[in-house]
Amino acid sequence: MSEHTLVTIGVVGGTGKEGAGLAARWARSGYRVVLGSRDAARAQQKAEELNAALGSAVISGADNPSAVQQADIVVISVPYEAHAATLTGLKEALQGKIVVDITVPLEPPNIRSVNLPAGLSACLEAQTILGADVRVVAAFQNVSYTHLQDSEHPVECDVLVCGDDATAKDEVIKLAEAAGMKGYDAGSLVNSIAVESLTPVIMYMNRKYKVKGVGIKVTGIEQAK
Ligand SMILES: NC(=O)c1ccc[n+]([C@@H]2O[C@H](COP(=O)([O-])OP(=O)(O)OC[C@H]3O[C@@H](n4cnc5c(N)ncnc54)[C@H](OP(=O)(O)O)[C@@H]3O)[C@@H](O)[C@H]2O)c1
């Protein structure tokens, strides 16, 4: 039995590209995962699809509030335009939990240019909406969903993890590793401004170089060990 089996991850917006890709990887590595959706039936259908590919039934589907209720760690994976309203609606249910916010505050159609939202980053806005009893951690914004689909292979990208609670960051670094990546502590939640801002840079480079999976790799740490 994996050490992860006692931890349940809820993925709000888990029917989407990034959330479902991460969910499949976490399930493969032994976490229980509940996909959340505005429509419970859509989440259940996506869970069945992922379970069929995994050959086990560790992923379930529910409406977003039920997914949050069942989870120890909650991942927010919705488009930025739905971010504030989604968090506000789930605020009570999220109290006391670790919230991994992967949202990038893109402003269509200029998705290849940095957009600083009013609160400077989606993660800082999440912390303001949810209050001090929720430990918001920023991660995974720089990992394209295209890398996550082939869940049997590691991803050639690193994950910068920012947050104000060291224990919560450690849990999220474990999630990066469980999903086949290396996670690094990248400082306090205010650093999410820089991490979120890297994603439009990556999207620009994808188009410039006619590829889908530009990512980032940290150098200088592993080499020094
Ligand atoms: N795609 C990537 O490669 C990538 C990489 C890094 C970070 N991200 C970030 O991860 C988040 C999710 O990205 P994605 O590509 O997975 O997005 P997506 O597929 O477009 O949407 C994810 C899910 O969000 C829910 N949703 C959509 N509109 C909503 C609304 N108005 N209100 C509430 N829920 C809504 C939908 O679930 P239901 O309809 O089932 O409720 C949808 O399946 C985004 O913030 C994105 O910036 C994406």
Side-chain angles (χ1 to χ4, degrees), residues 38-191:
R38 290 167 292 178
D39 175 350
R42 186 156 56 237
Q44 284 153 6
Q45 192 181 352
K46 190 72 187 178
E48 280 171 25
E49 193 187 301
L50 297 181
N51 283 331
L54 286 166
S56 68
V58 285
I59 304 179
S60 57
D63 60 30
N64 283 326
S66 310
V68 168
Q69 213 73 55
Q70 294 175 56
D72 305 295
I73 301 176
V74 177
V75 178
I76 304 297
S77 184
V78 297
Y80 179 65
E81 55 265 33
H83 181 251
T86 301
L87 290 172
T88 302
L90 296 170
K91 178 174 177 176
E92 291 313 315
L94 287 168
Q95 293 306 301
K97 308 215 184 224
I98 295 174
V99 168
V100 187
D101 199 340
I102 74 169
T103 305
V104 181
L106 300 175
E107 191 174 61
N110 300 318
I111 58 172
R112 294 175 190 84
S113 299
V114 172
N115 169 55
L116 290 187
L120 299 179
S121 78
C123 284
L124 290 171
E125 292 181 338
Q127 190 70 75
T128 300
I129 292 168
L130 298 174
D133 289 340
V134 177
R135 291 172 288 164
V136 177
V137 179
F140 302 107
Q141 296 94 337
N142 308 140
V143 181
S144 165
Y145 82 97
T146 56
H147 288 301
L148 301 173
Q149 291 168 331
D150 182 5
S151 59
E152 283 180 31
H153 292 98
V155 176
E156 288 299 317
C157 298
D158 290 331
V159 179
L160 301 179
V161 179
C162 307
D164 295 334
D165 183 283
T167 310
K169 273 194 287 194
D170 285 345
E171 287 300 319
V172 179
I173 287 169
K174 281 189 217 160
L175 291 189
E177 283 166 10
M181 291 166 272
K182 179 83 189 152
Y184 289 95
D185 182 345
S188 59
L189 198 64
V190 75
N191 288 359

Side-chain angles (χ1 to χ4, degrees), residues 178-202:
M181 291 166 272
K182 179 83 189 152
Y184 289 95
D185 182 345
S188 59
L189 198 64
V190 75
N191 288 359
S192 63
I193 300 169
V195 176
E196 291 177 12
S197 293
L198 274 175
T199 302
V201 176
I202 285 169

